[in-house]
Amino acid sequence: MEENMDESQSQKGCKECCERCVGSLPWASLIATILLYMGVALFCGCGHEALSGTVTILQNYFEVIRAPGETLDVFTIIDILKYIIYGLAAGFFVFGVLLLVEGFFTTGAIRDLYGEFKINACGRCLTAFLMFLAYLFFLVWLGVTAFTSLPVFVYFNVWSMCQNTSLITGASFCVDLRQFGAVTISEGKKLCTESDKFLKMCESNELDLTFHLFVCALAGAGAAVIAMVHFLMALAANWGYLKDASRMQKYEDIKSKEEQELHDIHSTRSKERLNAYT
């Protein structure tokens, strides 16, 4: 009988411990962090490989040559974009960790308001600063999404030209890199449907793979935008909770102070009555 009671008590203790651990998790910040990491990883990985595929297409089919020296050409711009991708991956990994830690910190602050933790101005300033960063990075990812849609549009046009060439006999289309700013106006890097290189490019896996990689990168940027919106909502809610908790803490301090003053007044009057009686 005692063994059964001990087992039931241990099971009850484990259940309460699990409920306490699950209830203390900042689920909103956790979901937003996972979505942010997935979006950033998808954008950075697919974007990097898509840029490498673009270099291969330009060199093999359009015969674009890298400019000597430190001249700013399309290959230099692609290298700069790759370094930007490296910076985004590292920076948003740290930013996601900061937001997740803030979520745990705020959740503990709310649940342990009357325990060891004390709400102060530093916590609210930190939440407000992270809200500002989240809004700023939300605008950044909106710009990244709009910028990523440009190569998707270009590759979709080239892919459509390949499809129309195979469907319509005698169709004549040309892809001129000068229209996209990839080369200077004086360079005539044009590829028409009648050429063998255009047919080889359409039949190769490089064009199709690069196009779909840019589509995946666009989807990753969109996921990062959604994650930033989710973070903004969570931070705004935490800010409201912290503000209300701070007011409640001040109210409790004032209330306890008044109760202590009333107790001191009552004890003083009791002593005066006792002295007067004696």
Side-chain angles (χ1 to χ4, degrees), residues 94-159:
V94 177
F95 184 66
V97 172
L98 288 177
L99 290 176
L100 186 61
V101 169
E102 193 273 342
F104 277 103
F105 179 78
T106 308
T107 303
I110 295 170
R111 295 187 178 277
D112 300 333
L113 177 61
Y114 301 102
E116 299 177 357
F117 185 85
K118 293 184 179 180
I119 304 293
N120 53 18
C122 181
R124 285 181 290 164
C125 291
L126 177 62
T127 303
F129 177 69
L130 290 178
M131 284 178 63
F132 170 75
L133 287 182
Y135 183 74
L136 180 64
F137 290 145
F138 165 72
L139 297 178
V140 169
W141 277 109
L142 275 181
V144 170
T145 304
F147 181 77
T148 310
S149 64
L150 296 178
V152 173
F153 175 73
V154 172
Y155 274 97
F156 176 76
N157 288 335
V158 177
W159 180 80

Side-chain angles (χ1 to χ4, degrees), residues 75 119 121 198 202 248:
F75 298 108
I119 304 293
F198 186 85
C202 293
M248 183 62 67

Side-chain angles (χ1 to χ4, degrees), residues 220-235:
V225 171
I226 296 174
M228 286 294 101
V229 174
H230 203 158
F231 270 127
L232 280 173
M233 292 189 296
L235 289 171

Side-chain angles (χ1 to χ4, degrees), residues 119 124 237-249:
I119 304 293
R124 285 181 290 164
N238 291 341
W239 166 261
Y241 292 151
L242 283 173
K243 192 174 182 180
D244 292 340
S246 178
R247 291 177 178 176
M248 183 62 67
Q249 186 68 33

Side-chain angles (χ1 to χ4, degrees), residues 36-133:
L36 177 64
Y37 283 166
M38 290 176 59
V40 172
L42 191 63
F43 172 79
C44 293
C46 295
H48 183 274
E49 293 302 317
L51 291 174
S52 300
T54 302
V55 172
T56 303
I57 291 174
L58 291 176
Q59 291 178 342
N60 294 341
Y61 302 106
F62 289 91
E63 298 180 352
V64 181
I65 302 174
R66 184 182 291 270
E70 297 181 355
T71 305
L72 184 63
D73 57 354
V74 63
F75 298 108
T76 306
I77 294 175
I78 289 176
D79 293 336
I80 293 174
L81 291 176
K82 287 183 179 180
Y83 284 117
I84 292 175
I85 286 175
Y86 301 150
L88 283 175
F92 277 94
F93 175 78
V94 177
F95 184 66
V97 172
L98 288 177
L99 290 176
L100 186 61
V101 169
E102 193 273 342
F104 277 103
F105 179 78
T106 308
T107 303
I110 295 170
R111 295 187 178 277
D112 300 333
L113 177 61
Y114 301 102
E116 299 177 357
F117 185 85
K118 293 184 179 180
I119 304 293
N120 53 18
C122 181
R124 285 181 290 164
C125 291
L126 177 62
T127 303
F129 177 69
L130 290 178
M131 284 178 63
F132 170 75
L133 287 182

